[in-house]
Amino acid sequence: MPDDTVRSATYTVPCEDYVHVVEFSPYDCGSPASLLAYGGNQYVAVGTCRFKEEDTEVEGVEFTSLQVFMHGVRVDAIAWSPETRLDKLPPVIRFCTAAADRKIRLWTSELQNSCDVKVMEGHTSYINHLVFEPAEGKQIASVSDDHTCRVWDLDGNETTSFRLRSPGISVCWHPEDICKLMVAEKKGTIRFYDLVTQHAILSLDSGQMPLMSADWCLTNTIKVGAVVANDWVIWDITRSSYPLEKRPAHVGKARHFRWSRANENLFATTGYPGKINSQLLVHHLGHPQPVMIGSASVGAGLSWHRTLPLCVVGGDRKLFFWMTEM
């Protein structure tokens, strides 16, 4: 493979702490800048990003911190609410976190130093992923090592629970199909649940394990992707419950799979932090090899920008941003 595909980060932003998780907001917040949240050992920082690809007056990246939320315990997952708006007076910042203490916290702030925190309890083991209902943001779904997927209202009441056959790894709620939840399990199975009948209506089988991360393509609802063991796997849900394509991606176990929000053929995977570097691979469905390989000192988390072919990975006191040349 030619070495010109191996790249250090296009941009970096310094942070105060080791970054465990990082998420761009997938929603339009009414501002030309993109909202970004990242979680450390004790806190969540929220800010906005502008990139020179969007605004020629920006040199590289411009990160503006909006608020730091003291969390008190390590942050393991972050999900943005579609109710977050920066063009309202006062502005509204709303997101939820999953933490090492098995609790979900719903954070709401008007950026006036104070904030409202609601704690949701019920999971009996580690929470791996969570997501807001994308149309109105009035519900949250979460998956856990306790073999459940649970749906909560914003008062912290558990409204629905699905019993899984192995630990729940990823949960996706698609804005074009809000009556269904996609739940990926560690044993390699992905199921779609009808939230009205509360039954599983479709399942996909990766044929191997452990499944470590899965994602439902935003721009094309028939595409589902995952990383299982050290392979990436793609399904076309209209054709078969077995993968349409799969390829080895990482030498060790793969960690994250995320579709680009800007291009249905672009996706990224990360490996587990190695002894020196973590690998970020950006793949294009039309190319047999990765179109970009990024290398960052011990990376964690993975998220794509809402409109640019740009992804972010957290690291030791840094955020790493990679722009993919299309």
Side-chain angles (χ1 to χ4, degrees):
M1 188 184 298
D3 285 345
D4 60 358
T5 52
V6 181
R7 298 223 318 257
S8 54
T10 316
Y11 310 116
T12 57
V13 168
C15 307
E16 300 284 310
D17 189 4
Y18 184 84
V19 177
H20 289 285
V21 60
V22 56
E23 289 291 340
F24 275 116
S25 171
Y27 305 108
D28 178 3
C29 64
S31 156
S34 295
L35 275 167
L36 182 82
Y38 63 88
N41 289 313
Q42 299 284 331
Y43 70 89
V44 176
V46 168
T48 58
C49 293
R50 287 286 278 164
F51 298 92
K52 80 162 195 264
E53 286 78 4
E54 306 170 284
D55 183 345
T56 49
E57 290 180 12
V58 173
E59 286 183 28
V61 60
E62 188 176 273
F63 181 80
T64 307
S65 180
L66 294 178
Q67 191 170 352
V68 174
F69 299 82
M70 291 316 296
H71 198 271
V73 61
R74 189 188 73 221
V75 184
D76 292 325
I78 297 172
W80 280 99
S81 165
E83 292 189 285
T84 295
R85 299 298 296 186
L86 293 179
D87 56 352
K88 282 188 172 168
L89 279 174
V92 178
I93 295 284
R94 178 171 278 175
F95 62 93
C96 61
T97 56
D101 59 5
R102 308 171 183 179
K103 293 173 186 168
I104 295 168
R105 289 169 177 80
L106 172 65
W107 305 79
T108 307
S109 165
E110 295 179 351
L111 299 179
Q112 302 291 329
N113 295 324
S114 65
C115 70
D116 179 65
V117 190
K118 180 151 246 13
V119 179
M120 306 181 182
E121 299 186 55
H123 280 299
T124 57
S125 189
Y126 191 84
I127 301 165
N128 291 307
H129 196 212
L130 71 178
V131 65
F132 273 87
E133 186 278 313
E136 295 179 358
K138 300 300 186 195
Q139 292 175 290
I140 296 163
S142 57
V143 286
S144 161
D145 280 356
D146 66 10
H147 293 215
T148 65
C149 170
R150 301 175 193 230
V151 181
W152 315 77
D153 65 21
L154 299 193
D155 293 321
N157 303 307
E158 189 183 301
T159 56
T160 306
S161 177
F162 298 108
R163 190 91 198 121
L164 311 178
R165 292 168 202 184
S166 64
I169 299 296
S170 297
V171 58
C172 298
W173 213 327
H174 203 290
E176 290 172 28
D177 208 346
I178 56 169
C179 293
K180 294 192 189 82
L181 265 188
M182 186 194 98
V183 178
E185 295 189 31
K186 195 169 188 175
K187 273 191 177 168
T189 307
I190 297 174
R191 287 188 182 84
F192 290 82
Y193 292 91
D194 183 315
L195 287 166
V196 180
T197 64
Q198 301 195 5
H199 290 307
I201 47 174
L202 177 71
S203 73
L204 307 174
D205 186 1
S206 65
Q208 59 195 106
M209 58 181 289
L211 185 150
M212 296 311 297
S213 173
D215 197 21
W216 194 353
C217 183
L218 179 68
T219 48
N220 187 342
T221 54
I222 69 169
K223 286 183 179 175
V224 169
V227 283
V228 190
N230 53 6
D231 298 347
W232 61 256
V233 183
I234 307 271
W235 290 265
D236 171 341
I237 65 173
T238 61
R239 289 174 65 174
S240 171
S241 60
Y242 292 102
L244 186 67
E245 255 190 277
K246 80 175 187 184
R247 295 230 168 88
H250 298 271
V251 179
K253 253 194 320 196
R255 177 67 191 93
H256 290 292
F257 181 107
R258 293 284 184 274
W259 290 104
S260 162
R261 295 180 176 128
N263 181 330
E264 67 170 78
N265 292 311
L266 207 59
F267 61 97
T269 60
T270 59
Y272 267 87
K275 291 195 170 54
I276 306 162
N277 281 346
S278 270
Q279 219 184 23
L280 164 79
L281 300 179
V282 176
H283 314 264
H284 191 286
L285 278 176
H287 295 260
Q289 300 287 359
V291 292
M292 197 203 72
I293 302 170
S295 183
S297 53
V298 288
L302 172 64
S303 184
W304 284 91
H305 189 276
R306 196 171 69 87
T307 55
L308 294 173
L310 174 137
C311 48
V312 60
V313 172
D316 188 12
R317 293 191 291 274
K318 267 190 186 150
L319 295 173
F320 299 98
F321 298 90
W322 275 272
M323 181 65 73
T324 303
E325 307 302 328
M326 290 306 295

